[in-house]
Amino acid sequence: MAYSWALLGSAMGSFLVGLISAVSLCASALPYRQLVQESYEAALRQLPEQLARWRQYFSEGQEFAPPIEPAAVAGIAAALYEATAAPTYAWTAFRWLALYDTLRQLYPEALRRRLPSYAQGVPPVPDFFALPIFCRAYLRIRPALSPTQQAYLQQLITASTNSMLHFLEWGAINRSILRALGLALSAHACPSAPQAPQWRSLAQTLIAESRTSWLLEDAQLYWGIWLYALLLLGEYADSSLWQLPSLPFYIEAALQLMTPFSAVAPFGDTRTAGENAAEFAAIFEWAAARYRNPAYRWAAAQLTQRWLVPLKPLPAYRALILCDAARWADTTLPPLPPPAPSLWCSEDAVIKKLILRSGWDSSATYLLLNYRDAPTYGWRAQAFLHQSLPIEEEKGSHGQSDELALIWFIYQSCLLLSPPGYREGIPSGPNGAYRAEYFHNRLVVQPGRPSSGQSLWDFLRHAGSHQPVQTTKIDAWDFSPLTYARLRLTDFSRGYIWERILIAIRGHPIQLLIADLVQFLRDGPFTLVQLWHGDEALHADKAGCILATKSAAGLLGDTTWALGIWDVTGNKVRDTLFPSRRHGHPAIAYARWQTGWYRAGERTAIVSYLIPVPRHTLPHPPRATLNSMPTGLGLQLSYGDTLWNIVVQWDVLAGSIGDGRRPQYESTLRTLVLDSLSSDADFAFVRQTSDGLTAGLTYGTFLTFGSQTLFQAPPSFFPLQLNGDPPRTARLQWRAWELTSP
């Protein structure tokens, strides 16, 4: 039994029946009901034209890929039937589901034999995104269908599900969990099918690594898909999935990633900030109800009002997701923003993100740094994916070469730094666009030096393959006037260790000091390039550059502020501007770089000062000087009546003694002196203003300034020593300390 193509133009008026009065869709104070209603009616009007256009461009030489819209419209109609019991909704859903049987008749019989998955016939719903929608729609309208109609749709589900078995993907990734959802729902929809036990078993196999491992994806887009599919699996197939520790873990991280533009910050393989706003709205509604956290309702409201309401009518697929957002919403819980920490660090094993923010409002300052490397867990699944798919440019799954990169810098609704985008082609664009490291705001270290006449951009580019590295967080601490973070990347293949030190000085505007410290692991020529990207360069000279960015990842920023990038390192660092591409349009890259022959163990640094500047003015460069010491760096920065003295160690384990004594460090061997400041800390600062003095340190035993001893750790007793040595009295490093005095 097949349903004629002619139904596309027939009885369309009968589909537009009534208003959505579903209790489950009216429950939320957010406008889910209205969005679903308007989107559903618009989709019904648009479907004939969409299907005609699909048929016009349908290529008989490709795999059968019917559009997802008929299934999504059927899904909404089925949800409305479930809520209202109105038969018209069930009949509407049935007819759009049955259309897939008609569409597959277009595929030529001669071509069908080319594909193993088509051996038993062309699958009506070959897309693993669409199959769960098809199955859920059928399950919802099943009570309204005759036995003949039920058997007919079950045949379509069976044919679609069996074809899926010809290509599976394993691991804690979005495509695996979507296939598991399709298999589980198919078994639920067709319990008497001979293959149903196999489907259930295979679904559990696909779920297994999402149950026992952390997510392999490092991309905002695929976080949303994976989380939403897990929630549906918990509802339809296995309620124990709602107990997984990974659910609150990733949902809380998504909340912390919310930007002043009311979106979970795009990172990794993600096109636009709002493309999965519906998924995250539903996820946050579920989390708010389950964990009784009003901050999740606030996040859902932010996403809905910013990314869904203005775009109505929504595509049917997005509107269908909002049916779940409305079902899961607990309207007794008021939406309230989270408390506003200035520094949020994820754990440093899985998510590996660092976020600075001044608040949760639209004018807040926001900075995101990603230091996620390819995961060490899920190794076998990753190896399988690399052997099955051409994903050389990806880190893990859907991650980019953005280790230690500043992904976002937002100030007063202005985009100062942003990610490069997803890709220009499949599997990637030219030279790995846009996943490769040189498209990101980070340091790139290349063995060798540019040849005579070769541009820096030509020297940097390669095929775009991801280079395996190891990353870790060394330190991150919030002081009252500034935030300090230090992260490390080790690249054994190319022979260097890079540590990025971020010092964010609070104020209006915020000021950033970025120190990129490099230690070489072998002798040879190397080129170090600190890259910053924008839409255009407003000004450039020997002192620095002003970059402006108007839009990125679907965000349109204010144009009041641009980003000033000033040199602090000195004459050994060169600067270059060259054209690039990001988000599918021309862009500009500002490179601060140096090249030379280095010995194993030798260290060097590139230090930059970043500050938001008014777009239409030319500010003066900062008064900043850098002092290189045998064991560290000293930086002096002054503006107005404020003077900063800052020191950092080249090596946080400097001063180590190797004779087994505890503690295994000697203060005098790691003491740094900058003007009046003296300390043995990993990081120390003194700020002088007319209002007084502020000072702080991490991992140190003392800090003096002039004749003042600002801090000295009390003596500690170390009774446990190796080799029978006697107990020892020494000063223990303090994790952190801060003083503010008048």
Side-chain angles (χ1 to χ4, degrees), residues 180-353:
L181 179 60
L183 287 162
L185 286 168
S186 296
H188 191 38
C190 310
S192 300
Q195 305 91 338
Q198 181 190 16
W199 298 342
R200 292 191 192 94
S201 175
L202 188 53
Q204 290 301 321
T205 302
L206 287 162
I207 292 169
E209 284 172 287
S210 286
R211 186 191 298 277
T212 60
S213 176
W214 299 109
L215 180 62
L216 292 177
E217 312 273 16
D218 191 40
Q220 177 252 46
L221 171 62
Y222 297 105
W223 275 25
I225 294 172
W226 180 79
L227 283 167
Y228 179 58
L230 265 183
L231 295 183
L232 292 178
L233 274 166
E235 189 169 54
Y236 282 92
D238 187 348
S239 60
S240 69
L241 292 173
W242 283 8
Q243 307 295 330
L244 291 179
S246 54
L247 280 179
F249 179 76
Y250 284 103
I251 292 171
E252 178 62 24
L255 174 68
Q256 296 297 332
L257 284 162
M258 288 287 290
T259 72
F261 285 88
S262 301
V264 179
F267 61 91
D269 283 353
T270 304
R271 298 176 190 86
T272 65
E275 66 182 307
N276 59 0
E279 283 95 332
F280 274 114
I283 291 162
F284 284 133
E285 290 287 14
W286 178 91
R290 184 159 185 92
Y291 306 126
R292 309 302 302 164
N293 188 339
Y296 295 138
R297 288 225 74 213
W298 171 86
Q302 293 290 307
L303 287 159
T304 302
Q305 297 294 348
R306 173 65 174 82
W307 293 101
L308 301 176
V309 171
L311 300 180
K312 63 183 181 182
L314 300 171
Y317 174 73
R318 302 297 175 200
L320 175 60
I321 296 170
L322 294 187
C323 295
D324 290 322
R327 284 193 310 115
W328 289 333
D330 181 351
T331 57
T332 66
L333 205 61
L336 297 173
S342 57
L343 170 67
W344 181 81
C345 287
S346 68
E347 42 56 57
D348 53 0
V350 178
I351 292 177
K352 305 181 87 165
K353 306 283 186 290

Side-chain angles (χ1 to χ4, degrees), residues 426-471:
I426 296 177
S428 279
N431 305 113
Y434 303 107
R435 293 169 170 142
E437 66 265 31
Y438 34 75
F439 291 104
H440 288 275
N441 301 302
R442 55 163 289 178
L443 186 78
V444 177
V445 180
Q446 292 276 40
R449 290 183 282 195
S451 59
S452 177
Q454 184 182 27
S455 72
L456 182 63
W457 184 227
D458 285 341
F459 171 76
L460 286 177
R461 286 180 293 177
H462 50 75
S465 299
H466 176 258
Q467 178 69 41
V469 296
Q470 297 175 7
T471 64

Side-chain angles (χ1 to χ4, degrees), residues 75 97 124 137 171 255 268 291 303 306 329 356 418 515-516 518 609 623 640 742:
L97 294 177
L255 174 68
Y291 306 126
L303 287 159
R306 173 65 174 82
L356 303 181
S418 61
D516 288 326
V518 176
Y609 171 82
R623 289 176 290 171

Side-chain angles (χ1 to χ4, degrees), residues 62 75 81 84 110 142 152 243 260 281 341 361 374 390 407 499 514 578 592 678:
Q62 299 175 348
Y81 168 74
T84 65
R142 184 166 55 183
Y152 173 64
Q243 307 295 330
D361 58 282
I407 306 298
E499 293 185 2
I514 307 294
F578 53 81
R592 306 196 59 246
S678 179

Side-chain angles (χ1 to χ4, degrees), residues 220 253-267 272-274 284 298-299 302-303 306-307 337-338 355-369 407-415 417-419 552-556:
Q220 177 252 46
L255 174 68
Q256 296 297 332
L257 284 162
M258 288 287 290
T259 72
F261 285 88
S262 301
V264 179
F267 61 91
T272 65
F284 284 133
W298 171 86
Q302 293 290 307
L303 287 159
R306 173 65 174 82
W307 293 101
I355 297 169
L356 303 181
R357 70 167 72 245
S358 63
W360 295 91
D361 58 282
S362 61
S363 62
T365 300
Y366 179 93
L367 189 145
L368 168 62
L369 187 148
I407 306 298
W408 287 100
F409 184 14
I410 300 171
Y411 179 76
Q412 295 287 313
S413 300
C414 297
L415 305 176
L417 293 173
S418 61
L555 301 177
L556 184 63

Side-chain angles (χ1 to χ4, degrees), residues 2-15 44 47-48 51 70 91-103 152:
Y3 286 80
S4 167
W5 186 270
L7 77 85
L8 299 179
S10 68
M12 289 301 297
S14 66
F15 291 167
L44 287 171
L47 260 178
L51 287 164
W91 176 236
T92 299
F94 174 77
R95 297 188 75 184
W96 286 116
L97 294 177
L99 176 66
Y100 283 91
D101 193 20
T102 301
L103 296 181
Y152 173 64

